[in-house]
Amino acid sequence: MRRLVVVLMSTAALAFGLTACGSTEQPAGGSTAGQSGAGKRAVSPADELSGIGSTLDAIDSELASDGSP
């Protein structure tokens, strides 16, 4: 059970890190003219951690319901 939680937390941290790296990329040519940013929502680190926490809570409740130790 603990190994599973560690693996899940590591995976979530890796996904969070990759998401953070991808958000700072510039388009080819380096020009941002004409880009309005429509459809992009800035997510604060607190919101991201809250989402990860709720995901881990959901996983934990599913494991508890199937009788895992």
Side-chain angles (χ1 to χ4, degrees), residues 23-64:
S23 65
T24 60
E25 292 181 4
Q26 293 291 326
S31 174
T32 57
Q35 293 181 356
S36 65
K40 293 185 179 180
R41 185 178 140 247
V43 178
S44 72
D47 290 341
E48 187 73 23
L49 289 175
S50 175
I52 292 170
S54 62
T55 300
L56 291 175
D57 289 342
I59 292 169
D60 188 43
S61 66
E62 284 183 32
L63 290 173

